Amino acid sequence: MRVTTLTAVVFILAFIVISTCIFPVTAYFIESEWVKEIDDAALEVDINTSAEIVVFVVPSLVGHGIKNKQGNEIDDIVELGVYIFNEAELETFDGSQIGIGKPRKDNGVLVLIAVEEQQWRIEVGYGLEGDITDVESNRIAQDYLVPLFEQGNYGEGLYYTVVALGNEIPSVNGTTPLVRGYYVYETEEVYVPEPWWAVSYYGLPLWLIILLASLGIFVPVYGSKRGRGGRSGGGGSTGKW
Amino acid sequence: MKVASLAIIVVAVVALVIVGVFAAIYLTTYNNIVNLEASADAQWANVDVQLQRRYDLIPNVVAAARQYITYEGSILENITRLRSQWAAAEQTGNVNEINNATGQLEAEIPKFIITIEAYPDLKASQVVEDLIVELEGTENRISTERLRYNDAARDFNVAIKAFPGNLFAAGWGFTQKAYFEAKVGAIEPPQVP
Protein backbone atom coordinates (compact mmCIF):
# COMPACT_ATOMS: atom_id res chain seq x y z
CA MET A 1 0.00 0.00 0.00
CA ARG A 2 2.70 2.43 1.03
CA VAL A 3 4.92 1.36 -1.83
CA THR A 4 2.20 1.92 -4.45
CA THR A 5 1.50 5.44 -3.13
CA LEU A 6 5.20 6.20 -3.30
CA THR A 7 5.40 4.81 -6.82
CA ALA A 8 2.42 6.91 -7.84
CA VAL A 9 4.03 10.04 -6.43
CA VAL A 10 7.28 9.25 -8.22
CA PHE A 11 5.42 8.67 -11.47
CA ILE A 12 3.47 11.91 -11.18
CA LEU A 13 6.64 13.86 -10.43
CA ALA A 14 8.43 12.18 -13.32
CA PHE A 15 5.51 13.05 -15.61
CA ILE A 16 5.64 16.71 -14.55
CA VAL A 17 9.39 16.87 -15.03
CA ILE A 18 9.30 15.24 -18.44
CA SER A 19 6.34 17.30 -19.65
CA THR A 20 7.93 20.57 -18.55
CA CYS A 21 11.01 19.57 -20.51
CA ILE A 22 9.09 18.51 -23.61
CA PHE A 23 6.18 20.92 -23.94
CA PRO A 24 7.85 24.34 -24.30
CA VAL A 25 8.84 23.40 -27.83
CA THR A 26 9.63 26.51 -29.80
CA ALA A 27 10.69 27.04 -33.33
CA TYR A 28 13.18 29.84 -33.70
CA PHE A 29 13.49 32.32 -36.50
CA ILE A 30 17.28 32.47 -36.42
CA GLU A 31 18.78 29.13 -37.38
CA SER A 32 20.62 27.84 -34.31
CA GLU A 33 23.98 27.58 -36.10
CA TRP A 34 23.81 31.31 -36.83
CA VAL A 35 22.95 32.40 -33.29
CA LYS A 36 26.48 31.68 -32.16
CA GLU A 37 27.97 33.35 -35.23
CA ILE A 38 25.95 36.50 -34.58
CA ASP A 39 26.79 36.42 -30.87
CA ASP A 40 30.51 36.06 -31.65
CA ALA A 41 30.44 38.89 -34.21
CA ALA A 42 28.65 41.20 -31.77
CA LEU A 43 31.02 40.24 -28.95
CA GLU A 44 33.98 41.14 -31.15
CA VAL A 45 32.42 44.54 -31.86
CA ASP A 46 31.81 45.02 -28.12
CA ILE A 47 35.45 44.16 -27.30
CA ASN A 48 36.91 46.37 -30.04
CA THR A 49 34.59 49.36 -29.89
CA SER A 50 32.64 48.95 -26.61
CA ALA A 51 29.44 49.34 -28.66
CA GLU A 52 26.64 46.83 -28.15
CA ILE A 53 24.76 45.51 -31.19
CA VAL A 54 21.67 43.60 -30.11
CA VAL A 55 19.42 41.47 -32.29
CA PHE A 56 15.84 41.09 -31.09
CA VAL A 57 13.19 39.01 -32.82
CA VAL A 58 9.47 39.10 -32.10
CA PRO A 59 7.16 36.65 -33.91
CA SER A 60 4.60 39.40 -34.50
CA LEU A 61 3.82 42.98 -33.51
CA VAL A 62 0.65 41.61 -31.94
CA GLY A 63 0.70 39.26 -28.99
CA HIS A 64 4.29 39.81 -27.84
CA GLY A 65 3.05 41.22 -24.53
CA ILE A 66 5.47 44.19 -24.41
CA LYS A 67 3.51 47.17 -23.10
CA ASN A 68 4.13 50.91 -23.00
CA LYS A 69 3.68 53.16 -19.96
CA GLN A 70 -0.06 53.45 -20.60
CA GLY A 71 -0.36 49.67 -20.43
CA ASN A 72 -1.15 49.12 -24.11
CA GLU A 73 0.71 46.54 -26.16
CA ILE A 74 3.04 48.32 -28.58
CA ASP A 75 2.06 47.52 -32.16
CA ASP A 76 4.36 49.94 -33.98
CA ILE A 77 7.84 48.70 -34.79
CA VAL A 78 9.51 52.08 -34.20
CA GLU A 79 7.90 52.55 -30.79
CA LEU A 80 8.65 48.93 -29.91
CA GLY A 81 12.28 49.45 -30.89
CA VAL A 82 12.57 52.57 -28.74
CA TYR A 83 10.97 50.72 -25.82
CA ILE A 84 13.19 47.64 -26.08
CA PHE A 85 16.26 49.83 -26.52
CA ASN A 86 15.57 52.11 -23.55
CA GLU A 87 13.17 50.47 -21.12
CA ALA A 88 13.29 46.69 -21.46
CA GLU A 89 15.29 44.66 -18.97
CA LEU A 90 17.49 42.31 -20.99
CA GLU A 91 19.72 39.60 -19.58
CA THR A 92 23.45 39.96 -19.97
CA PHE A 93 26.01 37.42 -18.84
CA ASP A 94 26.22 39.07 -15.41
CA GLY A 95 22.76 40.28 -14.54
CA SER A 96 20.10 42.22 -16.33
CA GLN A 97 20.57 45.63 -17.93
CA ILE A 98 18.15 48.32 -19.03
CA GLY A 99 19.31 50.25 -22.06
CA ILE A 100 21.50 48.96 -24.88
CA GLY A 101 25.03 50.29 -25.07
CA LYS A 102 27.37 51.60 -22.41
CA PRO A 103 26.15 54.23 -19.95
CA ARG A 104 26.84 57.83 -21.03
CA LYS A 105 28.40 56.61 -24.30
CA ASP A 106 24.91 55.62 -25.53
CA ASN A 107 26.62 53.42 -28.10
CA GLY A 108 24.05 50.73 -28.72
CA VAL A 109 22.39 49.46 -31.87
CA LEU A 110 19.19 47.41 -31.93
CA VAL A 111 18.23 45.28 -34.91
CA LEU A 112 14.56 44.45 -34.39
CA ILE A 113 12.69 41.94 -36.54
CA ALA A 114 8.91 41.44 -36.62
CA VAL A 115 8.54 38.12 -38.41
CA GLU A 116 4.87 38.04 -39.30
CA GLU A 117 4.75 41.64 -40.56
CA GLN A 118 8.11 41.14 -42.35
CA GLN A 119 9.39 44.39 -40.92
CA TRP A 120 12.86 45.29 -39.82
CA ARG A 121 14.03 48.21 -37.73
CA ILE A 122 17.52 49.43 -36.93
CA GLU A 123 17.48 51.71 -33.88
CA VAL A 124 20.72 53.61 -33.30
CA GLY A 125 21.77 54.97 -29.91
CA TYR A 126 22.40 58.71 -29.45
CA GLY A 127 26.15 58.14 -29.28
CA LEU A 128 26.37 56.39 -32.63
CA GLU A 129 24.07 58.61 -34.71
CA GLY A 130 27.19 60.19 -36.25
CA ASP A 131 28.84 56.86 -37.14
CA ILE A 132 25.69 55.11 -38.35
CA THR A 133 23.41 57.67 -39.98
CA ASP A 134 19.84 56.82 -40.91
CA VAL A 135 20.93 56.53 -44.53
CA GLU A 136 23.83 54.22 -43.71
CA SER A 137 21.67 51.95 -41.58
CA ASN A 138 19.15 51.77 -44.42
CA ARG A 139 21.88 50.93 -46.94
CA ILE A 140 23.24 48.16 -44.74
CA ALA A 141 19.76 46.69 -44.38
CA GLN A 142 19.11 46.96 -48.13
CA ASP A 143 22.50 45.39 -48.97
CA TYR A 144 22.54 42.47 -46.54
CA LEU A 145 19.37 41.99 -44.53
CA VAL A 146 16.69 42.36 -47.20
CA PRO A 147 18.25 40.21 -49.98
CA LEU A 148 19.23 37.39 -47.64
CA PHE A 149 15.87 37.47 -45.86
CA GLU A 150 14.14 37.24 -49.24
CA GLN A 151 16.06 34.00 -49.85
CA GLY A 152 14.97 32.74 -46.45
CA ASN A 153 18.49 32.94 -44.96
CA TYR A 154 17.51 34.83 -41.82
CA GLY A 155 20.48 34.02 -39.59
CA GLU A 156 22.94 34.80 -42.36
CA GLY A 157 21.20 38.09 -43.14
CA LEU A 158 21.37 39.17 -39.52
CA TYR A 159 24.99 38.06 -39.24
CA TYR A 160 26.15 40.19 -42.18
CA THR A 161 24.02 43.10 -40.96
CA VAL A 162 25.69 42.96 -37.54
CA VAL A 163 29.16 42.74 -39.13
CA ALA A 164 28.44 45.69 -41.44
CA LEU A 165 27.06 47.78 -38.59
CA GLY A 166 30.14 46.93 -36.52
CA ASN A 167 32.41 48.09 -39.34
CA GLU A 168 30.90 51.57 -39.14
CA ILE A 169 31.88 51.98 -35.49
CA PRO A 170 35.43 53.18 -34.77
CA SER A 171 37.42 51.02 -32.37
CA VAL A 172 38.67 52.34 -29.06
CA ASN A 173 42.09 51.83 -27.54
CA GLY A 174 42.30 49.07 -24.99
CA THR A 175 39.62 46.53 -24.30
CA THR A 176 36.45 47.24 -22.43
CA PRO A 177 36.03 45.33 -19.18
CA LEU A 178 32.26 45.69 -19.31
CA VAL A 179 31.25 43.54 -22.27
CA ARG A 180 27.62 42.59 -22.49
CA GLY A 181 28.03 38.90 -23.35
CA TYR A 182 24.55 38.24 -24.80
CA TYR A 183 23.45 39.86 -28.04
CA VAL A 184 20.69 37.73 -29.54
CA TYR A 185 17.19 37.70 -28.07
CA GLU A 186 14.27 35.88 -29.51
CA THR A 187 10.84 35.53 -28.00
CA GLU A 188 8.92 32.29 -28.50
CA GLU A 189 7.22 31.77 -31.82
CA VAL A 190 3.76 31.57 -30.35
CA TYR A 191 2.91 33.20 -27.09
CA VAL A 192 0.87 30.77 -25.03
CA PRO A 193 0.09 31.52 -21.39
CA GLU A 194 1.82 28.74 -19.52
CA PRO A 195 0.08 26.45 -17.03
CA TRP A 196 1.26 26.90 -13.49
CA TRP A 197 3.46 23.83 -13.53
CA ALA A 198 5.30 25.01 -16.60
CA VAL A 199 6.09 28.50 -15.31
CA SER A 200 9.83 28.70 -14.80
CA TYR A 201 12.39 31.18 -13.57
CA TYR A 202 16.01 31.00 -14.62
CA GLY A 203 15.48 27.59 -16.17
CA LEU A 204 13.94 26.07 -13.03
CA PRO A 205 10.25 25.22 -13.01
CA LEU A 206 8.28 27.16 -10.44
CA TRP A 207 7.08 24.07 -8.58
CA LEU A 208 10.69 22.97 -8.12
CA ILE A 209 11.58 26.41 -6.73
CA ILE A 210 8.66 26.21 -4.30
CA LEU A 211 9.70 22.69 -3.34
CA LEU A 212 13.33 23.69 -2.78
CA ALA A 213 12.26 26.82 -0.92
CA SER A 214 9.98 24.81 1.34
CA LEU A 215 12.92 22.51 2.06
CA GLY A 216 14.81 25.60 3.15
CA ILE A 217 17.13 25.69 0.17
CA PHE A 218 17.78 29.27 -0.87
CA VAL A 219 16.94 30.03 -4.47
CA PRO A 220 17.65 33.55 -5.68
CA VAL A 221 14.52 34.66 -7.53
CA TYR A 222 15.87 38.00 -8.72
CA GLY A 223 19.04 38.19 -10.72
CA SER A 224 21.61 40.88 -10.13
CA LYS A 225 21.21 44.26 -11.85
CA ARG A 226 23.89 45.88 -13.92
CA GLY A 227 22.13 49.21 -13.91
CA ARG A 228 21.44 51.56 -16.77
CA GLY A 229 23.05 51.24 -20.18
CA GLY A 230 22.79 53.51 -23.21
CA ARG A 231 19.89 55.52 -24.62
CA SER A 232 18.37 56.14 -28.03
CA GLY A 233 15.80 58.50 -29.48
CA GLY A 234 14.30 57.04 -32.64
CA GLY A 235 17.32 57.35 -34.92
CA GLY A 236 17.92 54.70 -37.56
CA SER A 237 15.74 53.29 -40.31
CA THR A 238 12.80 51.01 -40.92
CA GLY A 239 11.66 48.82 -43.77
CA LYS A 240 10.13 45.62 -45.05
CA TRP A 241 11.43 42.55 -46.83
CA MET B 1 6.73 75.63 38.86
CA LYS B 2 8.32 72.41 37.77
CA VAL B 3 5.21 71.26 35.96
CA ALA B 4 4.84 74.60 34.22
CA SER B 5 8.39 74.61 32.85
CA LEU B 6 7.97 71.02 31.71
CA ALA B 7 4.81 72.01 29.86
CA ILE B 8 6.61 74.91 28.22
CA ILE B 9 9.41 72.64 27.09
CA VAL B 10 6.94 70.08 25.69
CA VAL B 11 5.00 72.78 23.83
CA ALA B 12 8.23 74.26 22.47
CA VAL B 13 9.48 70.88 21.27
CA VAL B 14 6.17 70.05 19.63
CA ALA B 15 6.08 73.47 17.93
CA LEU B 16 9.66 73.03 16.72
CA VAL B 17 8.89 69.59 15.33
CA ILE B 18 5.81 70.90 13.50
CA VAL B 19 7.73 73.84 12.06
CA GLY B 20 10.60 71.53 11.11
CA VAL B 21 8.34 69.03 9.38
CA PHE B 22 6.54 71.82 7.56
CA ALA B 23 9.81 73.38 6.43
CA ALA B 24 11.10 70.00 5.26
CA ILE B 25 7.94 69.35 3.24
CA TYR B 26 8.05 72.88 1.85
CA LEU B 27 11.67 72.62 0.74
CA THR B 28 11.55 69.09 -0.69
CA THR B 29 8.37 69.90 -2.57
CA TYR B 30 9.95 73.01 -4.01
CA ASN B 31 13.12 71.18 -5.02
CA ASN B 32 11.13 68.34 -6.53
CA ILE B 33 9.00 70.69 -8.63
CA VAL B 34 12.02 72.67 -9.77
CA ASN B 35 13.75 69.45 -10.84
CA LEU B 36 10.69 68.24 -12.70
CA GLU B 37 10.33 71.57 -14.46
CA ALA B 38 13.99 71.53 -15.45
CA SER B 39 13.72 68.05 -16.95
CA ALA B 40 10.52 68.95 -18.81
CA ASP B 41 12.25 72.05 -20.21
CA ALA B 42 15.31 70.03 -21.19
CA GLN B 43 13.07 67.53 -22.96
CA TRP B 44 11.27 70.36 -24.75
CA ALA B 45 14.65 71.49 -26.03
CA ASN B 46 15.24 67.98 -27.39
CA VAL B 47 11.93 68.14 -29.24
CA ASP B 48 12.88 71.54 -30.61
CA VAL B 49 16.21 70.25 -31.93
CA GLN B 50 14.39 67.58 -33.92
CA LEU B 51 11.75 70.03 -35.19
CA GLN B 52 14.56 72.27 -36.37
CA ARG B 53 16.19 69.28 -38.05
CA ARG B 54 12.96 68.65 -39.95
CA TYR B 55 12.78 72.33 -40.90
CA ASP B 56 16.30 72.17 -42.33
CA LEU B 57 15.68 68.93 -44.17
CA ILE B 58 12.43 69.77 -45.96
CA PRO B 59 13.90 72.17 -48.58
CA ASN B 60 16.40 69.48 -49.65
CA VAL B 61 13.68 66.89 -50.12
CA VAL B 62 11.45 69.36 -51.94
CA ALA B 63 14.29 70.43 -54.24
CA ALA B 64 15.19 66.82 -55.06
CA ALA B 65 11.58 65.85 -55.65
CA ARG B 66 10.79 68.91 -57.80
CA GLN B 67 12.74 67.52 -60.74
CA TYR B 68 10.40 64.56 -60.93
CA ILE B 69 7.05 65.70 -59.61
CA THR B 70 5.26 67.57 -62.34
CA TYR B 71 1.52 67.37 -62.09
CA GLU B 72 1.20 67.15 -58.29
CA GLY B 73 3.12 70.31 -57.59
CA SER B 74 0.58 71.43 -54.99
CA ILE B 75 1.96 68.99 -52.44
CA LEU B 76 5.37 70.63 -52.72
CA GLU B 77 3.80 74.08 -52.35
CA ASN B 78 1.81 72.92 -49.34
CA ILE B 79 4.78 71.48 -47.55
CA THR B 80 6.88 74.55 -48.20
CA ARG B 81 4.08 76.82 -46.98
CA LEU B 82 3.49 74.78 -43.81
CA ARG B 83 7.21 74.78 -43.14
CA SER B 84 7.30 78.58 -43.23
CA GLN B 85 4.17 78.71 -41.11
CA TRP B 86 5.88 76.53 -38.52
CA ALA B 87 8.92 78.81 -38.50
CA ALA B 88 6.66 81.83 -37.95
CA ALA B 89 4.91 80.10 -35.06
CA GLU B 90 8.27 79.15 -33.59
CA GLN B 91 9.23 82.85 -33.66
CA THR B 92 6.23 83.77 -31.53
CA GLY B 93 7.16 81.15 -28.93
CA ASN B 94 3.47 80.47 -28.28
CA VAL B 95 3.15 76.75 -27.48
CA ASN B 96 -0.38 76.47 -28.85
CA GLU B 97 0.58 78.08 -32.13
CA ILE B 98 3.65 75.88 -32.42
CA ASN B 99 1.51 72.83 -31.70
CA ASN B 100 -0.97 73.84 -34.33
CA ALA B 101 1.61 74.56 -37.02
CA THR B 102 3.54 71.39 -36.18
CA GLY B 103 0.37 69.32 -36.37
CA GLN B 104 -0.46 70.65 -39.82
CA LEU B 105 3.05 70.05 -41.12
CA GLU B 106 3.05 66.62 -39.56
CA ALA B 107 -0.16 65.64 -41.30
CA GLU B 108 1.28 66.66 -44.68
CA ILE B 109 4.58 64.81 -44.48
CA PRO B 110 3.20 61.23 -44.73
CA LYS B 111 1.16 62.32 -47.79
CA PHE B 112 4.33 63.79 -49.23
CA ILE B 113 6.26 60.55 -48.66
CA ILE B 114 3.46 58.46 -50.17
CA THR B 115 3.34 60.73 -53.22
CA ILE B 116 7.09 60.41 -53.73
CA GLU B 117 6.99 56.65 -53.34
CA ALA B 118 4.30 56.48 -56.00
CA TYR B 119 6.75 57.82 -58.60
CA PRO B 120 8.90 54.96 -59.94
CA ASP B 121 11.57 57.38 -61.23
CA LEU B 122 11.76 59.07 -57.88
CA LYS B 123 12.05 55.88 -55.93
CA ALA B 124 14.87 54.76 -58.18
CA SER B 125 16.84 57.91 -57.39
CA GLN B 126 19.36 57.19 -54.66
CA VAL B 127 19.39 60.84 -53.60
CA VAL B 128 15.64 60.98 -53.07
CA GLU B 129 15.58 57.61 -51.31
CA ASP B 130 18.28 58.75 -48.89
CA LEU B 131 16.44 62.00 -48.22
CA ILE B 132 13.22 60.11 -47.55
CA VAL B 133 15.04 57.79 -45.13
CA GLU B 134 16.38 60.87 -43.36
CA LEU B 135 12.96 62.48 -43.26
CA GLU B 136 11.41 59.31 -41.83
CA GLY B 137 14.21 59.08 -39.28
CA THR B 138 13.55 62.68 -38.26
CA GLU B 139 9.82 62.03 -37.90
CA ASN B 140 10.61 59.04 -35.65
CA ARG B 141 12.95 61.15 -33.55
CA ILE B 142 10.31 63.84 -33.19
CA SER B 143 7.64 61.42 -32.02
CA THR B 144 10.05 59.72 -29.59
CA GLU B 145 11.26 62.97 -28.03
CA ARG B 146 7.72 64.29 -27.92
CA LEU B 147 6.48 61.23 -26.02
CA ARG B 148 9.27 61.84 -23.54
CA TYR B 149 8.41 65.52 -23.26
CA ASN B 150 4.78 64.63 -22.58
CA ASP B 151 5.85 62.18 -19.88
CA ALA B 152 8.07 64.82 -18.28
CA ALA B 153 5.33 67.48 -18.55
CA ARG B 154 2.81 65.05 -17.02
CA ASP B 155 5.12 64.37 -14.05
CA PHE B 156 5.50 68.12 -13.54
CA ASN B 157 1.78 68.83 -13.88
CA VAL B 158 0.91 66.08 -11.42
CA ALA B 159 3.46 67.40 -8.95
CA ILE B 160 1.97 70.90 -8.91
CA LYS B 161 -1.62 69.63 -8.84
CA ALA B 162 -1.25 66.93 -6.20
CA PHE B 163 -0.79 67.41 -2.47
CA PRO B 164 1.40 68.97 -1.13
CA GLY B 165 2.51 70.77 -4.30
CA ASN B 166 -0.97 72.24 -4.85
CA LEU B 167 -0.65 74.24 -1.59
CA PHE B 168 2.34 76.24 -2.79
CA ALA B 169 2.68 75.88 -6.57
CA ALA B 170 0.57 78.94 -7.41
CA GLY B 171 2.49 81.02 -4.88
CA TRP B 172 5.78 79.93 -6.40
CA GLY B 173 4.51 80.91 -9.83
CA PHE B 174 4.40 77.47 -11.46
CA THR B 175 1.75 76.91 -14.09
CA GLN B 176 0.67 73.79 -15.96
CA LYS B 177 2.77 72.79 -18.95
CA ALA B 178 0.99 72.30 -22.25
CA TYR B 179 1.18 68.86 -23.80
CA PHE B 180 2.59 68.54 -27.24
CA GLU B 181 0.16 66.77 -29.49
CA ALA B 182 -0.46 66.45 -33.18
CA LYS B 183 -3.81 68.00 -33.89
CA VAL B 184 -5.73 65.48 -35.91
CA GLY B 185 -8.45 68.03 -36.57
CA ALA B 186 -5.92 70.32 -38.19
CA ILE B 187 -5.54 68.16 -41.26
CA GLU B 188 -6.69 70.18 -44.21
CA PRO B 189 -9.08 68.62 -46.71
CA PRO B 190 -7.34 67.68 -49.97
CA GLN B 191 -7.49 70.49 -52.52
CA VAL B 192 -9.49 69.74 -55.60
CA PRO B 193 -8.31 71.82 -58.56
Side-chain angles (χ1 to χ4, degrees), chain A residues 132-223:
Chain A
I132 306 172
T133 61
D134 298 355
V135 170
E136 277 160 349
S137 68
N138 180 54
R139 290 242 175 94
I140 287 169
Q142 300 299 344
D143 288 352
Y144 302 101
L145 191 145
V146 172
L148 285 161
F149 272 34
E150 279 171 350
Q151 294 166 22
N153 300 327
Y154 304 115
E156 196 182 355
L158 286 167
Y159 170 78
Y160 284 108
T161 303
V162 167
V163 170
L165 288 168
N167 287 340
E168 300 288 332
I169 306 167
S171 44
V172 289
N173 292 329
T175 53
T176 161
L178 202 83
V179 290
R180 180 181 184 93
Y182 296 164
Y183 304 93
V184 181
Y185 301 85
E186 181 163 358
T187 54
E188 285 165 23
E189 184 154 58
V190 182
Y191 177 75
V192 184
E194 292 171 290
W196 67 269
W197 46 265
V199 173
S200 65
Y201 293 100
Y202 302 94
L204 287 175
L206 182 62
W207 60 267
L208 187 61
I209 293 173
I210 293 170
L211 189 73
L212 291 175
S214 64
L215 292 173
I217 298 167
F218 174 68
V219 180
V221 177
Y222 297 104

Side-chain angles (χ1 to χ4, degrees), chain B residues 102-130:
Chain B
T102 308
Q104 289 189 36
L105 182 55
E106 205 137 299
E108 197 70 13
I109 284 175
K111 285 192 232 160
F112 180 51
I113 291 175
I114 288 169
T115 309
I116 287 180
E117 283 176 343
Y119 280 75
D121 296 356
L122 260 176
K123 244 195 141 269
S125 152
Q126 190 68 56
V127 177
V128 175
E129 197 203 322
D130 287 352

Side-chain angles (χ1 to χ4, degrees), chain B residues 28-155:
Chain B
T28 52
T29 307
Y30 183 76
N31 284 343
N32 182 36
I33 292 177
V34 167
N35 282 334
L36 289 172
E37 185 175 44
S39 62
D41 288 347
Q43 194 52 52
W44 171 264
N46 287 347
V47 176
D48 232 23
V49 167
Q50 300 306 335
L51 291 176
Q52 190 63 45
R53 180 193 177 112
R54 164 157 78 188
Y55 177 80
D56 296 338
L57 187 59
I58 286 174
N60 299 341
V61 189
V62 168
R66 202 181 287 282
Q67 306 167 31
Y68 301 89
I69 293 183
T70 45
Y71 57 88
E72 274 173 288
S74 72
I75 193 127
L76 298 180
E77 307 313 321
N78 271 352
I79 220 136
T80 309
R81 182 176 55 77
L82 291 171
R83 170 181 175 269
S84 317
Q85 186 184 315
W86 176 82
E90 187 80 351
Q91 288 287 315
T92 67
N94 181 330
V95 177
N96 282 333
E97 255 178 68
I98 297 173
N99 268 354
N100 196 16
T102 308
Q104 289 189 36
L105 182 55
E106 205 137 299
E108 197 70 13
I109 284 175
K111 285 192 232 160
F112 180 51
I113 291 175
I114 288 169
T115 309
I116 287 180
E117 283 176 343
Y119 280 75
D121 296 356
L122 260 176
K123 244 195 141 269
S125 152
Q126 190 68 56
V127 177
V128 175
E129 197 203 322
D130 287 352
L131 285 168
I132 289 295
V133 167
E134 253 185 82
L135 189 57
E136 281 170 346
T138 305
E139 296 303 305
N140 290 333
R141 286 185 178 88
I142 290 169
S143 58
T144 302
E145 300 299 353
R146 188 162 52 200
L147 276 177
R148 288 183 185 157
Y149 166 76
N150 281 348
D151 284 343
R154 191 171 301 115
D155 288 346

